[in-house]
Amino acid sequence: MKFTKMHGCGNDYVYVDCTKEVIPNISETAIRVSDRHFGIGSDGLILIKASDVADFEMDMYNADGSRGKMCGNGIRCVAKYVYDHGLTDKTTITVNTLSGIKTLKLTVEDGKVSKVRVDMGEPELIPAQVPVKASVLGLADDRREAIVAEPLEIKGRSYDITCVSMGNPHCITFIGEDVRDFPLEEVGPVFEKHELFPERVNTEFINVIDKDHLRMRVWERGSGETLACGTGACAVAVASYLNGFTGRSVDIELLGGHLEVVYDEKTNHVFMTGPATEVFSGEIDL
Ligand SMILES: N[C@H](CCC[C@H](N)C(=O)O)C(=O)O
C-alpha cells in the first residue's frame, strides 16, 4: 500500500489516495499502520476518495480502528494532498464526510498549500444530538438546551463540563491549573468511556489565557492524547463563547501548534484556519 504521512499541528495520520489504491480490512489496517512501534506510527488512517457529491471524500479512522465522523486537522491535510499532488487545481474545494460536505479555502505559497480555512458548519448543542445522556447529570434526557458548565465528578474531582458536537462528540472543561501539568493519561480515558457519552467522547482540557487566547490539551476518542484536535478546537471556541470566557474569535494554543477559530454570528458556522504539512511518502506490505 502506497501512503503519505501528513499532520496538522502534530495530529498525524497516514493518508492513502484511494482514487488509486484499494484498502482491505480498513479498520484492521488503521490499527496496524497507527502502531508507533510495529507500524508506520500515526493517530489514525485517512482515505482520500473520489466523490459524486463533492470534489473529494474523506473517510477517517482512529488509531483503535474506530471510524471517525469528522477530522478537522485531517481535512486540511486532505486539501493539501489533492492540490499538491495534482488531483485538483482549485483553491476552493468541497470534501464530503460522514458529517456532511465541508468547504475549504486553500492558501498556496510557492505552488504548495501552506494553510487551509475550513467552514466546519454549525455546532450541535442539543444533548441527545451530541450525543450526551443528560439524565446521568440529573437533567431531562429530552432536554433541548445546551449542556453548559454542568458539574461532573471524575475520580473524586468535580469538573464543569460543556458538551458540543462538530459532527463528532466533545466534552470541554476549563481548569485553573496549567493544562501542561494536568494528568491527562489518568483522567482522559475515564471521560472517554463515561456512561454520559453513549458513543464515547473527545475531551478537551482548557486554560483561558485571556479573552482572545486559550491553551488546550485533548484526549481523543479512539486515539488517546493527540498534539492537536481540529474539531476539538472548534468545539472549544463555541464552549468558551457560551461560557463567556472569550469572544467569537480565538487563537487556540495546542501542544503541536496554533489554530485560529471563528464562531461566526451571522451564519452560526465555525471557521477554522491552520497549517497542513506533508512529512514523507512510502510503501508498506499489509
Ligand atoms: N477522534 C475523533 C476523530 C479525529 C478528530 C481530530 N483528530 C480532529 O482533528 O478533528 C473522533 O473519534 O471523533
Side-chain angles (χ1 to χ4, degrees):
M1 178 188 86
K2 289 188 177 62
F3 68 87
T4 299
K5 189 76 196 315
M6 304 180 81
H7 73 83
C9 298
N11 185 204
D12 61 327
Y13 291 93
V14 171
Y15 291 78
V16 181
D17 179 351
C18 288
T19 67
K20 300 184 180 74
E21 300 264 340
V22 176
I23 310 273
N25 312 316
I26 299 174
S27 183
E28 292 74 19
T29 299
I31 296 167
R32 167 91 192 282
V33 302
S34 298
D35 190 298
R36 294 195 186 276
H37 299 285
F38 298 101
I40 300 164
S42 68
D43 290 329
L45 171 66
I46 292 185
L47 311 183
I48 299 167
K49 299 176 172 179
S51 169
D52 51 16
V53 296
D55 293 318
F56 296 94
E57 178 174 322
M58 174 178 75
D59 191 10
M60 184 266 159
Y61 295 79
N62 292 303
D64 69 353
S66 61
R67 197 175 193 187
K69 292 172 64 182
M70 181 45 199
C71 182
N73 289 315
I75 205 168
R76 295 200 314 276
C77 289
V78 167
K80 176 173 177 67
Y81 181 91
V82 296
Y83 184 90
D84 290 6
H85 290 259
L87 277 69
T88 184
D89 60 0
K90 294 164 61 175
T91 55
T92 296
I93 66 169
T94 56
V95 177
N96 188 27
T97 75
L98 289 181
S99 295
I101 297 173
K102 310 298 175 187
T103 302
L104 299 89
K105 288 196 183 331
L106 286 54
T107 298
V108 179
E109 292 173 36
D110 303 328
K112 296 215 182 283
V113 172
S114 58
K115 193 168 62 168
V116 183
R117 182 177 188 261
V118 189
D119 179 347
M120 299 287 283
E122 296 191 70
E124 175 57 73
L125 300 171
I126 298 173
Q129 303 301 318
V130 171
V132 186
K133 263 176 71 57
S135 54
V136 173
L137 296 172
L139 306 169
D141 263 338
D142 60 356
R143 174 190 173 95
R144 296 190 61 77
E145 298 76 37
I147 290 179
V148 176
E150 290 290 340
L152 173 68
E153 184 164 322
I154 297 282
K155 294 174 75 90
R157 171 173 168 174
S158 181
Y159 295 83
D160 285 347
I161 65 167
T162 299
C163 299
V164 179
S165 171
M166 289 305 303
N168 58 355
H170 294 271
C171 175
I172 297 103
T173 187
F174 299 84
I175 61 174
E177 71 269 40
D178 191 320
V179 289
R180 292 169 293 193
D181 303 326
F182 186 73
L184 189 58
E185 61 293 334
E186 280 168 43
V187 177
V190 182
F191 274 92
E192 177 185 0
K193 302 179 180 79
H194 197 280
E195 61 171 329
L196 186 54
F197 305 106
E199 294 177 9
R200 298 189 290 166
V201 77
N202 303 283
T203 307
E204 290 81 18
F205 299 84
I206 308 300
N207 292 151
V208 178
I209 297 167
D210 61 36
K211 68 173 181 53
D212 308 308
H213 299 89
L214 299 168
R215 181 178 296 127
M216 163 177 159
R217 281 178 71 193
V218 57
W219 183 269
E220 281 201 32
R221 172 177 66 171
S223 293
E225 177 162 26
T226 61
L227 299 188
C229 180
T231 51
C234 294
V236 164
V238 172
S240 184
Y241 174 74
L242 293 176
N243 278 277
F245 297 142
T246 56
R248 285 180 169 271
S249 178
V250 284
D251 170 88
I252 300 184
E253 174 197 319
L254 302 117
L255 293 183
H258 286 250
L259 291 172
E260 300 297 326
V261 182
V262 175
Y263 178 27
D264 181 61
E265 184 166 16
K266 194 158 57 67
T267 61
N268 195 44
H269 282 211
V270 182
F271 295 89
M272 169 190 62
T273 302
T277 306
E278 180 172 330
V279 185
F280 69 94
S281 287
E283 202 158 348
I284 184 171
D285 290 334
L286 292 177

